[in-house]
């Protein structure tokens, strides 16, 4: 279990983006092959490691594997040289999972339940968690609860931040394409101005925020970009609006989606445009099971881990796919004052991983005694 720093450094040097974690998968698979557990390939490049005690119940732990298309500028001796970077700390997540597997190799027989350790690809962009869940990999091992940690800058070093209920948002990326008709600006009567119609859609979307949302509603409806027009003297034929929709509540999220479609349809009737609205499926909200969170608190206290109540964030995480199917708790592992995630200079004190491993073992010990 003490080799977690070496695991992290090895993995840090071979970062690979979603669905292309080939060297990463080879490294993880080679390590798991040395252990006395049932190893299964999942989601193309991922793995599960099942430590079987012949019990009916299984506790699962998840770590993610993919990196980002960011050129590293940390200056570390073990820095990536391939143009990608573990700028979100997934190298640390895998290292902690491998260390947990090492611990289970020696200790899993003392537990009254089985343990499933998940090495999940494609968290950043494609949603590997959903693929793994839909494959039945957790169901067949009778998983009853699932836990995960994500390293987190600015949170107290070695502490864990979490909260019961909603913690991270349901997210969807929005593309609204408005089709009009091109004409010379001297004869606007011969055209249909997609730019004006798109501007009206944006205006009405922000009126929803102002007039239709409850003051205490927690949501994000943001337009970040619009592409429109070909020339200054031409009636615009096509306009594309890009934005994001996010909420902790599915009811709030679904209300916003319905209003987006209704506004687009209303503007089409008034302007004669034809509008297409596309919203990505996105991830569900991270919603920690309240009853399980109470056990989590007790487990962290018994393990000597500081547990802080995390603030909600509109950032998404596909750990939510597990929580949509099984009781789960997701937490943030505090790194202290370090560069932000997805930053080309992101790095941290590697010894904080020991706190994460301690938290995982603490959960095993707590549920073994419960």
């Amino acid at each position: 279990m003490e080799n977690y720093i070496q695991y992290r450094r090895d993995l840090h040097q071979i970062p690979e983006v979603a669905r292309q974690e080939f060297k990463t998968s080879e490294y993880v698979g080679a390590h798991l092959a040395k252990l006395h557990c049932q190893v299964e390939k999942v989601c193309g490049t991922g793995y599960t490691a099942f430590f079987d005690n012949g019990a009916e119940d299984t506790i699962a732990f998840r770590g993610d594997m993919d990196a980002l298309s960011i050129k590293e500028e940390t200056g570390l001796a073990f820095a990536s040289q391939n143009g990608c970077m573990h700028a979100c700390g997934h190298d640390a997540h895998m290292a902690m999972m491998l260390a947990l597997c090492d611990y289970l190799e020696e200790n899993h027989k003392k537990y009254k339940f089985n343990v499933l350790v998940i090495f999940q690809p494609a968290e950043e962009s494609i949603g590997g968690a959903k693929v793994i869940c839909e494959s039945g990999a957790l169901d067949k091992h009778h998983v009853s609860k699932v836990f995960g940690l994500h390293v987190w800058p600015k949170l107290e070093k070695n502490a864990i931040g979490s909260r019961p209920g909603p913690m991270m948002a349901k997210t969807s990326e929005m593309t609204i394409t408005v089709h009009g008709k091109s004409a010379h600006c001297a004869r606007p009567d011969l055209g249909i101005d997609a730019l004006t119609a798109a501007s009206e859609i944006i205006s009405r979307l922000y009126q929803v925020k102002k007039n239709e949302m409850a003051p205490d509603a927690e949501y994000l409806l943001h337009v970040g970009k619009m592409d429109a027009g070909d020339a200054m003297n031409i009636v615009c034929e096509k306009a594309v609006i890009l934005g994001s929709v996010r909420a902790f509540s599915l009811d709030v999220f679904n209300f916003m989606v319905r209003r987006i479609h209704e506004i687009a349809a209303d503007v089409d009737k008034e302007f004669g445009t034809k509008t297409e609205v596309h919203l990505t499926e996105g991830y569900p909200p991270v919603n920690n099971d309240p009853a399980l969170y109470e056990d989590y608190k007790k487990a962290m206290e018994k393990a000597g881990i500081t547990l802080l109540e995390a603030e909600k964030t509109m950032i998404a995480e596909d750990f939510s796919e597990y929580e949509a199917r099984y009781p789960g708790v997701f937490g943030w592992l505090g790194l202290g004052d370090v560069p932000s995630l997805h930053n080309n200079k992101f790095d941290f004190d590697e010894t904080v991983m020991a706190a994460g491993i301690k938290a995982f073992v603490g959960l095993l010990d707590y549920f073994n005694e419960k």
Side-chain angles (χ1 to χ4, degrees), residues 4-296:
Y4 64 91
I5 289 178
Q6 189 60 53
Y7 299 153
R8 186 255 169 163
R9 293 185 178 187
D10 290 344
L11 290 161
H12 189 85
Q13 296 178 74
I14 54 170
E16 297 162 299
V17 296
R19 295 282 197 267
Q20 297 178 36
E21 309 96 335
F22 304 119
K23 291 182 179 179
T24 305
S25 179
E26 183 179 353
Y27 182 94
V28 170
H31 187 84
L32 296 179
K34 302 173 186 177
L35 308 180
H36 295 86
C37 58
Q38 297 176 25
V39 180
E40 182 179 353
K41 203 81 174 287
V42 291
C43 195
T45 51
Y47 282 99
T48 59
F50 182 60
F51 293 85
D52 187 1
N53 285 329
E56 295 182 1
D57 181 35
T58 298
I59 295 179
F61 297 87
R62 173 272 211 167
D64 34 13
M65 302 170 69
D66 53 329
L68 295 156
S69 296
I70 294 176
K71 185 176 180 180
E72 182 168 352
E73 295 184 10
T74 60
L76 294 169
F78 53 91
S80 164
Q81 303 297 323
N82 68 1
C84 296
M85 179 185 176
H86 273 298
C88 205
H90 295 185
D91 52 342
H93 303 168
M94 289 184 284
M96 290 188 288
M97 291 294 102
L98 289 171
L100 178 62
C101 288
D102 290 346
Y103 170 81
L104 290 166
E105 172 75 0
E106 302 296 329
N107 296 281
H108 79 273
K109 289 296 184 183
K110 77 177 187 180
Y111 295 111
K112 61 185 180 183
F113 42 77
N114 314 311
V115 183
L116 183 71
V117 181
I118 304 165
F119 294 85
Q120 179 211 305
E123 186 277 329
E124 289 290 351
S125 61
I126 308 177
K130 185 177 182 181
V131 175
I132 289 175
C133 289
E134 291 179 346
S135 75
L138 280 74
D139 287 341
K140 75 177 182 181
H141 292 305
H142 307 291
V143 168
S144 64
K145 55 187 73 74
V146 59
F147 299 98
L149 275 181
H150 198 300
V151 293
W152 208 253
K154 311 308 177 188
L155 183 68
E156 180 183 325
K157 189 176 175 181
N158 294 318
I160 288 176
S162 189
R163 63 182 297 125
M167 180 174 166
M168 303 178 78
K170 160 72 176 174
T171 65
S172 181
E173 304 313 312
M174 173 180 70
T175 303
I176 302 174
T177 305
V178 184
H179 298 279
K181 182 181 178 182
S182 179
H184 195 281
C185 68
R187 289 298 306 273
D189 55 306
L190 299 179
I192 299 174
D193 193 347
L195 175 55
T196 303
S199 299
E200 183 66 19
I201 288 173
I202 294 171
S203 176
R204 294 188 191 184
L205 289 178
Y206 280 94
Q207 287 301 309
V208 169
K209 294 171 64 173
K210 181 178 179 181
N211 299 324
E212 300 183 37
M213 303 301 295
D216 60 348
E218 297 176 301
Y219 70 95
L220 181 151
L221 176 54
H222 174 71
V223 173
K225 183 179 181 181
M226 183 169 74
D227 290 324
D230 297 310
M232 66 180 70
N233 61 344
I234 299 296
V235 174
C236 175
E237 184 174 21
K238 179 181 175 182
V240 180
I241 301 166
L242 302 176
S244 187
V245 184
R246 304 181 178 219
F248 299 114
S249 161
L250 290 178
D251 287 341
V252 171
F253 181 87
N254 291 333
F255 170 78
M256 290 192 293
V257 170
R258 176 171 61 82
R259 290 297 290 125
I260 291 166
H261 282 276
E262 289 173 347
I263 287 169
D266 289 343
V267 170
D268 279 350
K269 289 179 183 178
E270 295 176 30
F271 286 77
T273 48
K274 293 182 180 179
T275 299
E276 302 162 3
V277 176
H278 175 71
L279 292 126
T280 60
E281 182 180 356
Y283 299 151
V286 171
N287 196 350
N288 291 329
D289 184 88
L292 187 58
Y293 184 79
E294 290 304 310
D295 286 324
Y296 192 87

